[in-house]
Amino acid sequence: MTVERQELDILAGFDKSKFDYLPGEDRYLTVENQPKLKFNLIGTGNIGQEHMKVTILEGRATINGLYDPNEKSIEQAKDVFVNELQAGDINVFESLEEACNDPEADALLICTPNYTHIDVVRVAAKSKKHIFLEKPMTTNLEDAYEIMEIAKDYPSIFQIGLQYRYKPIYVEAIHEALERKSVGDIKTISIMEHRVPFLDKVGQWNKFSEKSGGTFVEKCCHYFDLFNLFAQSKPVEVYATGSQAVNFQTFQYEGESSDIIDSGFVIVKYENGIQCNFNLSMFSPMFYEELVLCGNEGRLKATETERFVPLEGPDNYLEVIRAGGSPSKTSTPVYPTEIQKSGHGGATYYEHVYFVDNILGKTTSTATVEEGFWSIVVGLAAEESLRTGEKVIINDFLAANPKDTVVNN
Ligand SMILES: NC(=O)c1ccc[n+]([C@@H]2O[C@H](COP(=O)([O-])OP(=O)(O)OC[C@H]3O[C@@H](n4cnc5c(N)ncnc54)[C@H](O)[C@@H]3O)[C@@H](O)[C@H]2O)c1
């Protein structure tokens, strides 16, 4: 007798630990997870450890082994797996090749710094195993084309880690705007992110444009993915301004000064006429995201707030104000508590649910390599506009790269 997925889903977020006194044969709804799939985790830092936790929470897979050249990352990840998650033993691989070609592993989770993605993918893809690659897929167009080429006839799943689309506010906004068409035809899209500075990383790769792709690629590819999703069209023009207004102005690492911006604005025009703007501030004492969609039949606003001060207000909020006598509404979309707090508002958890579903042959809405590509095209074009002070025409920008035929076919 096996507990059905649907029964487990109803109990998602319910604390089952108090039933640990039950003899094994009496556990049905509180059965210990019996993972069938095995993942190897490559890069066991901040997000790698989040992926490890949600893999165990999701339950249909486990982590078979780890690879990371930084001993402290391995040490902490091992401790989390064995002691915090109590998920059993875990292998540690000596090399990337060993981790990728491990016959036990069904899939590889690549959670390494942006500039390493291309080299890691080159090795990982030879294994033909399912691949999950963190965003941004690369730091430049040339490498992005190469990954598009690798993914074109790839015999297994190749998923990109653009999981913001699974944050509760965006899931609901997608439902309202794209499925119900609650605001009619979308005409303008605004996104704002106000947050704390980029945090410390192994090798401080996120302080340097060459290693991260620049702030508009590294961080903002999530929001450009949302632009692309809501616009349901291709970007044609990008204009950006930005500056290093507050953060890391005197920061040096191995003799190099940080060159990343911490604030800016990006305007994107789409083929179908939709206009978008994005506003970033990375010197705000909070995490705040806001989406506003204006259509010809209404306006949708969605916000996600994490405060560090004792002020009241919903963490997640969505309002749809509709014209023409249609009902308007507000809501506070959330996931079950354990999922909500498992990382990125539960979005990483659902990214894993759908990664496993993809592997098991179901069709889901996870980010494809092509969507990963278009999210960084906007980011790279914004970085280019920042450098030149000019508007970037996407066709010209892509044509400047000799491999443009790969995406245009
Ligand atoms: N989807 C999201 O919301 C999200 C959030 C955070 C980070 N990320 C992305 O995940 C990636 C990792 O970010 P992070 O915050 O975990 O960084 P991090 O610095 O905390 O961790 C990266 C880890 O990769 C290891 N590493 C470096 N080179 C490696 C290699 N060649 N092979 C194996 N391991 C290697 C480092 O030692 C480190 O432990 C980046 O691409 C980042 O943009 C995505």
Side-chain angles (χ1 to χ4, degrees):
M1 190 165 53
T2 318
V3 64
E4 298 292 331
R5 178 84 213 162
Q6 159 182 327
E7 293 169 298
L8 284 176
D9 280 348
I10 295 168
L11 283 173
F14 178 78
D15 178 11
K16 298 176 197 149
S17 64
K18 65 181 173 184
F19 294 102
D20 285 351
Y21 67 90
L22 285 168
E25 64 272 20
D26 293 336
R27 297 189 71 142
Y28 176 71
L29 286 177
T30 62
V31 71
E32 291 294 319
N33 289 327
Q34 298 296 331
K36 294 199 170 52
L37 295 168
K38 291 180 178 175
F39 299 163
N40 280 351
L41 179 60
I42 298 163
T44 66
N46 179 21
I47 196 76
Q49 291 185 32
E50 182 169 311
H51 282 293
M52 174 187 271
K53 290 176 187 169
V54 296
T55 299
I56 301 307
L57 183 61
E58 201 276 339
R60 287 178 294 173
T62 187
I63 305 290
N64 189 56
L66 310 171
Y67 171 67
D68 193 307
N70 180 40
E71 263 178 43
K72 288 192 82 171
S73 301
I74 290 284
E75 214 176 280
Q76 189 179 34
K78 239 181 120 172
D79 183 55
V80 166
F81 192 80
V82 176
N83 298 320
E84 186 185 321
L85 301 172
Q86 305 210 329
D89 288 334
I90 194 155
N91 302 307
V92 175
F93 299 103
E94 290 299 315
S95 70
L96 177 63
E97 285 73 12
E98 212 188 316
C100 292
N101 297 312
D102 168 20
E104 294 257 301
D106 301 289
L108 306 170
L109 308 177
I110 302 173
C111 303
T112 63
N114 306 353
Y115 69 99
T116 65
H117 288 179
I118 184 69
D119 285 340
V120 175
V121 166
R122 283 182 188 135
V123 176
K126 285 196 190 125
S127 73
K128 310 279 184 239
K129 293 183 194 296
H130 303 293
I131 290 178
F132 170 87
L133 172 63
E134 260 305 343
K135 57 46 67 177
M137 64 191 236
T138 61
T139 55
N140 59 58
L141 266 185
E142 197 185 339
D143 295 346
Y145 283 127
E146 188 177 330
I147 291 191
M148 288 278 283
E149 195 63 40
I150 290 171
K152 206 162 67 171
D153 299 314
Y154 198 66
S156 304
I157 303 301
F158 201 137
Q159 186 177 319
I160 303 295
L162 289 162
Q163 89 283 32
Y164 277 32
R165 49 177 80 184
Y166 299 128
K167 288 187 175 200
I169 56 166
Y170 298 127
V171 168
E172 287 300 289
I174 288 167
H175 175 62
E176 288 294 338
L178 298 183
E179 291 158 21
R180 289 190 74 202
K181 303 223 171 282
S182 302
V183 300
D185 294 334
I186 297 171
K187 301 294 179 188
T188 65
I189 305 172
S190 289
I191 297 183
M192 178 189 285
E193 185 190 30
H194 289 178
R195 56 159 285 171
V196 299
F198 275 134
L199 299 173
D200 285 345
K201 299 287 162 190
V202 176
Q204 296 290 13
W205 56 268
N206 59 352
K207 311 300 179 303
F208 301 94
S209 296
E210 203 185 333
K211 291 191 165 173
S212 71
T215 302
F216 284 143
V217 175
E218 153 56 11
K219 183 68 239 268
C220 310
C221 64
H222 279 302
Y223 305 107
F224 301 142
D225 179 53
L226 292 171
F227 276 176
N228 293 341
L229 244 163
F230 283 109
Q232 298 275 292
S233 180
K234 288 280 187 288
V236 289
E237 289 175 9
V238 174
Y239 176 71
T241 64
S243 74
Q244 191 172 21
V246 176
N247 303 335
F248 310 120
Q249 294 189 356
T250 57
F251 179 93
Q252 291 227 330
Y253 191 79
E254 294 176 344
E256 295 283 319
S257 298
S258 170
D259 66 345
I260 45 142
I261 60 158
D262 57 19
S263 52
F265 293 82
V266 181
I267 292 181
V268 187
K269 212 169 128 184
Y270 280 82
E271 229 163 48
N272 60 5
I274 290 180
Q275 303 169 77
C276 304
N277 82 26
F278 171 73
N279 162 218
L280 176 74
S281 157
M282 298 190 73
F283 39 85
S284 300
M286 63 185 70
F287 286 100
Y288 179 77
E289 284 174 36
E290 180 183 292
L291 165 77
V292 178
L293 302 173
C294 292
N296 58 355
E297 292 172 15
R299 176 186 183 272
L300 178 153
K301 176 172 140 176
T303 62
E304 186 194 72
T305 314
E306 190 181 332
R307 295 170 195 82
F308 313 145
V309 291
L311 291 174
E312 296 293 314
D315 297 344
N316 291 350
Y317 174 76
L318 181 111
E319 69 178 35
V320 185
I321 310 293
R322 301 172 75 188
S326 300
S328 297
K329 65 181 179 187
T330 63
S331 62
T332 51
V334 286
Y335 290 132
T337 312
E338 202 180 357
I339 294 172
Q340 184 74 39
K341 66 178 195 221
S342 66
H344 291 85
T348 312
Y349 174 87
Y350 284 101
E351 175 177 58
H352 269 257
V353 171
Y354 302 134
F355 184 54
V356 173
D357 282 352
N358 287 338
I359 292 172
L360 298 179
K362 289 191 194 155
T363 304
T364 74
S365 58
T366 51
T368 61
V369 170
E370 191 174 354
E371 288 174 306
F373 176 87
W374 282 105
S375 71
I376 64 162
V377 164
V378 178
L380 289 165
E383 290 283 332
E384 173 78 1
S385 175
L386 203 59
R387 267 188 297 275
T388 61
E390 303 288 327
K391 173 168 83 179
V392 172
I393 309 292
I394 296 295
N395 273 347
D396 298 348
F397 188 58
L398 293 178
N401 189 299
K403 292 184 187 160
D404 61 333
T405 46
V406 177
V407 281
N408 289 339
N409 62 17

